[in-house]
Amino acid sequence: MSVSPSPSDVPPAPGGTGRRLPAVLVAVVAAALAASAWGAKDPTTWLLETVWVMVGLPLVVLLRRRFPLSGLLCGLLAVHALVLIVGGHYTYAEVPAGDWVRDWFGLDRNPYDRFGHLMQGFVPAILVRELLVRTSPLRGSRWLAPLTVCACLAFSAVFEMLEWAAAVTGGHAADAFLATQGDVWDTQWDMFCALIGATCSLLLLSHLHDRSLTRLPFAAKN
């Protein structure tokens, strides 16, 4: 794994499109979130699924000067937000694209929930990696990748416990949020998908992420 540059080696951030991209992504996600609320199949499920976007989007905007994120991470977070928004609008078990994939491949269930949990590992892996590279002594360490994967699995476990809490308190009303579709091993599959997503993300994107980090301004480093 390549060593990320130190703050003193980081050149100024490029202007133009590079600076406009985060604002464009914020606008796209905000518009999609607002549109998804209109006609959502289950308003409670929509709220539970999109609350991460409602919290994360303002947080990214508020910290944009003190701790701007790399362009790669911004793009991945926007894609993940759209995945959550679509799942919240239709509920994960009834997303039309998932129904098409199920019918094309003769699957037993709508696979959009599996895709969502792959993304739950794939995108947070880069988020965790960026936080560790920029704020901890782990930059360039052989422990960076395994600890990143462990953090993603921990987040997945916390999310599954939140689903369990929703099921206990909401009863049948939480079925759309759980999206188990009758699979008694759904929780284990969800965490396994997050593990696969996080591992693939680090294998495929680590070097690209390092290059994206070099484009951050000096002020982005703490």
Side-chain angles (χ1 to χ4, degrees):
M1 185 175 296
S2 61
V3 178
S4 298
S6 63
S8 60
D9 296 330
V10 177
T17 304
R19 290 181 179 177
R20 291 196 299 269
L21 179 61
V24 171
L25 294 176
V26 167
V28 169
V29 171
L33 179 63
S36 71
W38 184 265
K41 182 174 180 62
D42 184 330
T44 300
T45 298
W46 175 84
L47 178 61
L48 291 172
E49 298 292 359
T50 61
V51 67
W52 306 98
V53 182
M54 297 179 194
V55 172
L57 191 62
L59 189 61
V60 169
V61 172
L62 289 173
L63 296 178
R64 69 189 184 283
R65 296 188 184 278
R66 181 180 176 186
F67 200 87
L69 303 178
S70 66
L72 175 64
L73 180 55
C74 286
L76 288 173
L77 288 174
V79 172
H80 195 191
L82 294 176
V83 170
L84 294 172
I85 288 169
V86 171
H89 178 78
Y90 291 104
T91 76
Y92 276 77
E94 299 185 40
V95 172
D99 287 338
W100 300 336
V101 173
R102 179 198 60 203
D103 295 340
W104 288 340
F105 292 97
L107 304 177
D108 294 330
R109 56 175 284 158
N110 185 313
Y112 192 82
D113 181 56
R114 302 284 191 242
F115 174 68
H117 283 278
L118 279 170
M119 292 295 291
Q120 191 185 74
F122 194 88
V123 175
I126 299 303
L127 173 59
V128 171
R129 186 178 191 273
E130 182 153 324
L131 293 175
L132 291 178
V133 165
R134 295 171 59 181
T135 65
S136 81
L138 288 172
R139 179 172 58 87
S141 170
R142 68 182 63 184
W143 287 101
L144 178 61
L147 288 178
T148 297
V149 172
C150 287
C152 293
L153 275 176
F155 174 75
S156 179
V158 169
F159 187 82
E160 294 303 322
M161 286 189 281
L162 291 175
E163 287 190 339
W164 164 73
V168 170
T169 58
H172 291 297
D175 287 347
F177 176 54
L178 295 175
T180 59
Q181 300 183 62
D183 186 355
V184 296
W185 301 107
D186 186 72
T187 297
Q188 288 77 9
W189 271 111
D190 288 349
M191 295 185 66
F192 179 68
C193 286
L195 170 63
I196 295 300
T199 303
C200 290
S201 180
L202 294 179
L203 290 174
L204 295 173
L205 299 180
S206 287
H207 292 294
L208 181 61
H209 186 216
D210 286 338
R211 290 198 296 272
S212 186
L213 286 170
T214 65
R215 300 187 182 98
L216 288 171
F218 174 78
K221 302 289 183 174
N222 292 335

